[in-house]
Amino acid sequence: MSKASREFQVFAKPAGFLCNLGCHYCYYLKKERLYPEGESLRMPDDILEEYIIQHIGAFPGSVINFSWHGGEPTILGVDYFREIVALQRKHQVSHRRIVNGMQTNGTLLDENWCRFLAAEGFVVGISLDGPQELHDRYRLTKGQNSTHNLAMRGYRLLQHYRIPSNILCVVHAQNVQYPTEVYRFFKNLNAQYVEFLPLVEPQTDEEGGVSHRTVDAEAWGNFLCTLFDEWMCRDIERVNVQIFEEVARKAFGQEHALCIFRKTCGDVPVVEHNGDFFSCDHFVNTEHRLGNIQETPLVDFLESPAQRAFGQAKWDTLPCSCQECEVLEFCHGGCPKDRILRTLDGEAGLNYLCAGYKRFFTHCQPFVAELSALWRQQSLEQQTPLARAKGAQASPKTGRNDPCPCGSGKKYKKCCLGR
């Protein structure tokens, strides 16, 4: 079996859109319209095994990552995931390691689940939107009852069993007003890794309209700046915040790890419960259904012109004003799903969150510059004197009184000139 040309992450949906909760802002519950009523949403054993075989075969790296999403994957029960692990072992290739990740609302986790997750080395993402009054604003049961205590019980079980866990916080119109309270709530939980996901719910009745739950763009920028300042002062080595890590990657000259900030996207497709392949988790619709892995191998979808075009369209449709923006390399226009506004020139494709992101990334630029300088200096100090001298002599245009190209901060004549 041929391998993909680059590493990928598939959001596998073994339970489809099934969930035990009725969160008001959940975009995936609406996917029921794609499948006949009454159809089983449990991924059958034969499709599950076929997917695992194809995923292992297509993945080009030595560490093969599986991401189990929903809906709510734990609704299938722990025995279903024992079967997943058994199938992975059955088809695992020597000298290659498999790592499983799961995203859950945490409400169904119990001792049995956590013993399994710990034993099998799962990494678990758990959804929490902050303190109870903010979490329960939109994250409710189907009967509109609180979920906070259930989710917290699940989180504490993950901690008790020392299962690596990431908190996913949806930032909406309510909790965005309390950045300090939300952040300190997670710190008090001894959270090691936190991802903040801004809620944008477009309305179909008017161009650019959004729901009352949608986070305000300016408030989103304030939320991030407030968190960043506290993180810089107290938590820079204590709490990993995903978007701050993306900022740091810019300082190190690295490509963004998060798809919404990359120049192109398309590396996080979906495989649904029946084997259907979709271009992206936010584009699970008939237009972006490329086929089924029972008929076309997973690797062919990943490498297909249609999937490449989907990813490239992110850059190709970026408004001209965005291409000239001073923080372009930080966001590359953000997620295509949020590009619902028009620019001042009337061009379509401006990200709804642009004002907030621009404020935040501008706010971070001094940090990026300082971090980048420190990184270059440390890299230089690890070089041999001969390597530094060669680097200093690389540009014949360097004057005696110019800053030395080695990055020492000294003048050229007092540093590498003549070495």
Side-chain angles (χ1 to χ4, degrees), residues 260-264 310-336 338-339 341 343 347-352 354:
I260 65 171
F261 295 141
R262 291 179 186 169
K263 183 176 180 179
T264 59
F310 172 83
Q312 183 63 35
K314 177 181 179 181
W315 175 254
D316 292 344
T317 60
L318 192 66
C320 294
S321 59
C322 293
Q323 296 179 33
E324 299 169 356
C325 179
E326 60 269 25
V327 296
L328 171 64
E329 293 188 357
F330 286 92
C331 75
H332 291 107
C335 184
D338 297 331
R339 294 183 182 177
L341 300 182
T343 67
E347 192 175 1
L350 179 66
N351 196 302
Y352 170 83
C354 175

Side-chain angles (χ1 to χ4, degrees), residues 104-116:
T104 176
N105 59 44
T107 63
L108 298 178
L109 294 178
D110 57 18
E111 300 273 353
N112 193 29
W113 260 112
C114 288
R115 282 192 291 269
F116 164 78

Side-chain angles (χ1 to χ4, degrees), residues 63-66 68 78-90 92 97-102 111-124 158 161-164:
V63 179
I64 305 169
N65 296 294
F66 282 84
W68 304 100
V78 68
D79 287 343
Y80 187 89
F81 277 81
R82 288 195 176 98
E83 177 63 17
I84 285 175
V85 171
L87 289 170
Q88 290 172 335
R89 288 183 176 138
K90 176 181 176 182
Q92 187 171 1
R97 187 163 63 95
I98 291 176
V99 175
N100 285 291
M102 175 194 289
E111 300 273 353
N112 193 29
W113 260 112
C114 288
R115 282 192 291 269
F116 164 78
L117 295 170
E120 299 299 339
F122 272 63
V123 177
V124 177
L158 293 173
Y161 282 89
R162 299 182 180 180
I163 298 165

Side-chain angles (χ1 to χ4, degrees), residues 56-74:
I56 292 173
F59 202 84
S62 59
V63 179
I64 305 169
N65 296 294
F66 282 84
S67 299
W68 304 100
H69 280 243
E72 175 51 45
T74 62

Side-chain angles (χ1 to χ4, degrees), residues 143-179:
Q144 303 303 291
N145 295 317
S146 170
T147 65
H148 188 264
N149 289 341
L150 293 172
M152 287 300 301
R153 182 196 63 185
Y155 179 71
R156 291 191 177 100
L157 280 169
L158 293 173
Q159 287 185 309
H160 176 74
Y161 282 89
R162 299 182 180 180
I163 298 165
S165 54
N166 309 326
I167 290 177
L168 172 62
C169 173
V170 174
V171 182
H172 48 70
Q174 300 300 316
N175 59 3
V176 74
Q177 302 173 45
Y178 304 95

